[in-house]
Amino acid sequence: MNNAPGPVRRSHELEQYLPRTRIAYLTMEIALEPDIPTYSGGLGILAGDAARSAADLGLPMVFVTLASRDGYLHQDLDAQGGQLDSPDRWDPATRAVALQAMVAVEIGGRQVWIRPWLYVLERPLGRSVPVLLLDTDLAENDPADRGISARLYGGDAGMRLRQEIVLGIGGEMMLAALGFEIATFHLNEGHAALLPLALLRRYPLRHGHVEDAVPYDIERVVQRCVFTTHTPIAAGHDRFDYALVAALLGDFFDLPALRHLAGDDALNMTRLAINLSGYINGVAKRHQQTAQAMFPGIAIRSVTNGVHPETWVQPALASLYATLDAQWTTEPEVLVRADTLPPDAVLAAHAEAKARLLDAVYRATGRALSPDLPTIVFARRMTGYKRADLLLADPERLVRIARHAPFQVLYAGKAHPQDGEGRALIGRIQEASRRLSHDLPIVFVPGYDFALAKLLVAGADVWLNTPQPPLEASGTSGMKAALSGVPSLSVLDGWWLEACIEGVTGWAIGDPEQPATHAAILLDKLETTVLPLFADRAAWARIMMGAISKSGAVFTSHRMMRRYAAEAYLNAEPVR
C-alpha cells in the first residue's frame, strides 16, 4: 500500500458552506439526479427530497452518503420475463468534484482511505446544499478494500458492515477533516449508527465506577444525534455478529459496553442508534406506534414522510398550480385551493402526462396501450410484503371485470439480487401478463428508477398499493401520485391511514387487521366504485382535485423538513 497522503487542506469549493452548516444528514443512499444511481428505492428518494427541500428552505445542512460507483442494480428482463441484474455503473468525476482531502479508518486491521466527492445540489432560487460522496476506490487502499463503497447494499454481512463503518465512522471523520462544525447529526436509518459510537469515545467518564455498564458521558452524544427509523419489523434491522464486529473494528470500542448499547446477541444497528440519539422518530403515525411497541420505554415521535413538490409535479399541472400562487413550489400548502381549478384543465394536464407515460412504456417494451383506458399502476420495490400480485389473486374474476369495464395495468419495480421471493413476484406478474393478455393488458416495465418513477406517478390514473399491514412504514410513492392528482387505491397502512378520505382522496382496501380479505375487497372496489367513477369525467376530476388539495398539499418534504428543523435540529452551535 502506498504511503499515507499528506495533511488535509481546506477545500475552496466548500468555503461558502463551512461557516453556517450545523446539521449533517447521513444516509446510505440518496437520489440526486436520475443519472446518478446512488439509490435503490424509497429511502434514497426520500433523502434526495429532504436535500432538495433543505436547499429550498435554506437549512444549514450537509448530506453524506457513499459514492456507490456500481449503483444498486441495472434491471433487464430475460426471454421469460425474469429479472436480470447487473451493476449500474457511473463515474463520480462526471457529476461531482473530487475534494483534496482524505481520511483513514481502520477496518480488519488495515487502514482504509476515504476520499470525498462534492456534489452541489442547486435549486432555482439560487440556494444549494453540499452532498459528500464517500469513495474508497483509491490507489492507497488494499485491492480488497477499494470496492467497499462500490455496490449499494452489495455483498455479504462483512461487506455491509464495512460500508457502514465507512459511512458512520468515516463520515464523521471526513466532516471534521473538511472543517465542518456540526451541531446535529441526523441518521437516516441505522446504517450510520456507528457515528454516535465514534462520538462517544471522546467522552469517557473521568470518575467512572466499575459498575458503570457504559463508562462514557452518553448525554454529550445523545443531545447531538437524531435518528429516523424506517423499518417496522425487527427482522429488517441490520444485525452483525460480534465476532465479525471484533474482526473488523478490533478494539475500537469496549465490547461489554457495546453489548449494553446494541444488544447482547448481536450488534443491532437500530438499537445502537436509539440508545445514542436524543430525538427518535418513525415516518408515519402508524409506524410510530409499531416502533414504540418494539422499543418500549423509549420516546419515539412521529414525523410523517413527505415528497418534494416541484420534483414530482408534471409540467402541465405545475403551470396550473402557478395560477393559484406563483410561489407554490416553496409554499405548497397553497395547493389546498386546487379544488378551485377548472376541472377540464386538470383533466387535460393529466392527459398530457399520461401520453408521455404510455410513449415511454412503448419505447421500453414495444407494448402500445390505450390513452382512453383507465391505467392502474403498481410501482414499488419487488419484495414479498408489498404483495404486488394481490390484484392477480383471482384471475377469473379480474377478467370478468375487465370484459365489462376495460382497463390496463402497469407494473414496475426491482428485486434485490438476493431476494428470491421478490424475483419470483416478477415472474408471476409476467406469467399473468401472458395468460390474461387477450382480456386485460398487463405490462411490466423494466428499469424502474427516478426518471421512470416521475412518469408513472404523473401518468397513472389510479395508484395501487397493497402492503401487508403493518409492514409499510410510510409509502411515499402515493404522495407523489397525489401531487399530480392521481388518487390511491391502497391498503390502510403507513401514510395512507392519515391521508385516506374515502371517495375524496382515493379509496381504502379493507381492514388492516384482516389482510386475508384484501384481495376480494380490492376487486370489489375496482368493479363497483373506481371503474364506474372513471367513466364520469366530471366526477373523476373532483377525485383528482381532492387528491391534490387534501393529500398533495399536506404530505410534502417541505413540511417534513420544517418539522425536523423546529423539533429535532435544536442545537444552534456545535458541541465541543
Side-chain angles (χ1 to χ4, degrees):
M1 185 158 48
N2 294 346
N3 292 331
V8 171
R9 297 189 303 273
R10 178 168 288 194
S11 177
H12 68 86
E13 293 91 347
L14 290 172
E15 288 296 338
Q16 65 173 305
Y17 302 108
L18 293 177
R20 66 182 297 269
T21 301
R22 294 292 177 264
I23 304 153
Y25 184 106
L26 289 96
T27 179
M28 185 66 87
E29 54 176 293
I30 188 168
L32 299 170
E33 300 289 348
D35 59 345
I36 301 180
T38 51
Y39 64 96
S40 70
L43 186 71
I45 295 287
L46 175 78
D49 281 355
R52 284 178 276 275
S53 282
D56 288 340
L57 298 174
L59 297 181
M61 297 184 71
V62 56
F63 288 72
V64 183
T65 190
L66 300 186
S68 299
R69 288 172 174 266
D70 288 343
Y72 175 57
L73 68 86
H74 176 79
Q75 183 189 58
D76 291 303
L77 301 177
D78 62 23
Q80 288 72 45
Q83 175 174 292
L84 297 172
D85 45 73
S86 58
D88 192 8
R89 293 191 174 95
W90 78 294
D91 180 1
T94 63
R95 302 301 303 274
V97 175
L99 298 181
Q100 297 304 308
M102 295 175 70
V103 299
V105 60
E106 186 170 317
I107 304 177
R110 290 192 298 268
Q111 293 292 302
V112 176
W113 289 93
I114 306 166
R115 179 178 67 179
W117 295 86
L118 172 65
Y119 176 88
V120 176
L121 195 160
E122 297 178 326
R123 299 294 305 140
L125 294 179
R127 292 173 173 171
S128 62
V129 293
V131 181
L132 301 179
L133 304 154
L134 306 180
D135 193 3
T136 61
D137 187 13
L138 303 171
E140 290 81 3
N141 283 333
D142 186 279
D145 299 325
R146 293 185 63 164
I148 291 176
S149 64
R151 187 76 180 262
L152 182 60
Y153 304 130
D156 59 10
M159 179 56 75
R160 288 289 295 275
L161 181 55
R162 286 175 171 86
Q163 291 181 337
E164 298 188 13
I165 292 170
V166 169
L167 178 65
I169 300 173
E172 191 276 332
M173 292 174 64
M174 185 62 72
L175 287 165
L178 290 170
F180 285 100
E181 296 184 346
I182 300 301
T184 300
F185 295 94
H186 189 160
L187 315 179
N188 187 38
E189 253 308 346
H191 306 120
L194 294 175
L195 184 151
L197 196 68
L199 295 179
L200 191 61
R201 297 198 325 156
R202 300 175 187 172
Y203 306 118
L205 292 175
R206 294 184 178 181
H207 304 290
H209 301 285
V210 174
E211 63 270 18
D212 287 331
V214 184
Y216 297 88
D217 188 350
I218 293 179
E219 186 57 33
R220 296 284 296 275
V221 174
V222 162
Q223 64 181 310
R224 301 182 65 183
C225 293
V226 174
F227 174 53
T228 298
T229 175
H230 299 259
T231 308
I233 56 171
H237 299 152
D238 273 354
R239 294 163 57 88
F240 299 106
D241 185 87
Y242 280 117
L244 176 64
V245 175
L248 296 186
L249 280 177
D251 60 358
F252 179 79
F253 200 84
D254 178 67
L255 186 57
L258 183 56
R259 288 180 183 271
H260 184 82
L261 292 168
D264 285 331
D265 56 338
L267 192 164
N268 184 318
M269 298 295 272
T270 297
R271 184 173 292 278
L272 179 61
I274 283 175
N275 282 328
L276 293 179
S277 297
Y279 187 98
I280 305 153
N281 71 281
V283 291
K285 292 178 180 178
R286 172 63 179 270
H287 179 231
Q288 179 272 332
Q289 296 167 359
T290 303
Q292 190 70 78
M294 282 194 289
F295 297 99
I298 302 295
I300 298 178
R301 299 168 174 83
S302 169
V303 179
T304 301
N305 283 341
V307 300
H308 188 253
E310 189 175 6
T311 296
W312 296 103
V313 172
Q314 52 101 348
L317 263 182
S319 297
L320 271 182
Y321 295 167
T323 66
L324 295 173
D325 191 314
Q327 304 303 315
W328 74 270
T329 57
T330 53
E331 193 175 355
E333 296 81 3
V334 301
L335 296 182
V336 296
R337 304 204 310 272
D339 53 6
T340 66
L341 291 168
D344 288 345
V346 173
L347 292 171
H350 182 261
E352 288 187 31
K354 187 172 182 180
R356 283 195 295 272
L357 170 60
L358 299 187
D359 178 64
V361 170
Y362 178 76
R363 287 185 280 108
T365 68
R367 297 284 299 275
L369 299 178
S370 170
D372 300 320
L373 290 183
T375 300
I376 298 171
V377 173
F378 182 103
R380 316 280 295 167
R381 179 162 55 92
M382 288 289 157
T383 195
Y385 82 87
K386 301 284 189 180
R387 298 194 297 178
D389 58 350
L390 190 71
L391 179 66
L392 312 174
D394 186 346
E396 289 77 16
R397 185 181 176 195
L398 189 64
V399 164
R400 289 198 300 272
I401 294 171
R403 287 173 177 169
H404 176 72
F407 63 99
Q408 55 203 10
V409 183
L410 290 177
Y411 280 98
K414 296 176 179 177
H416 188 279
Q418 298 175 14
D419 186 349
E421 188 176 11
R423 298 172 75 97
L425 267 173
I426 295 173
R428 290 199 293 273
I429 292 167
Q430 298 285 47
E431 192 278 330
S433 173
R434 292 188 291 270
R435 182 160 42 91
L436 306 180
S437 60
H438 182 72
D439 298 291
L440 174 61
I442 301 175
V443 180
F444 187 96
V445 187
Y448 184 45
D449 62 7
F450 193 168
L452 178 57
K454 291 177 73 169
L455 293 171
L456 288 164
V457 297
D461 290 309
V462 178
W463 196 259
L464 180 64
N465 189 30
T466 52
Q468 174 83 24
L471 303 184
E472 183 84 310
S474 182
T476 55
S477 65
M479 302 175 188
K480 301 176 183 89
L483 269 172
S484 282
V486 177
S488 284
L489 175 59
S490 177
V491 169
L492 285 167
D493 199 14
W495 85 292
W496 194 233
L497 276 164
E498 302 169 46
C500 181
I501 305 174
E502 187 72 13
V504 177
T505 60
W507 307 271
I509 300 173
D511 184 338
E513 304 300 324
Q514 300 181 43
T517 66
H518 290 174
I521 293 173
L522 166 57
L523 294 184
D524 287 344
K525 283 281 174 77
L526 195 61
E527 180 176 25
T528 63
T529 303
V530 178
L531 294 175
L533 192 67
F534 185 83
D536 183 339
R537 303 312 290 156
W540 193 260
R542 286 195 295 273
I543 285 283
M544 292 184 66
M545 292 187 286
I548 299 165
S549 61
K550 304 298 191 296
S551 292
V554 176
F555 294 92
T556 70
S557 52
H558 281 28
R559 170 200 49 80
M560 176 185 77
M561 294 308 291
R562 288 185 182 117
R563 285 279 310 276
Y564 284 128
E567 300 172 25
Y569 303 158
L570 298 179
N571 287 322
E573 297 296 331
V575 179
R576 302 185 188 282

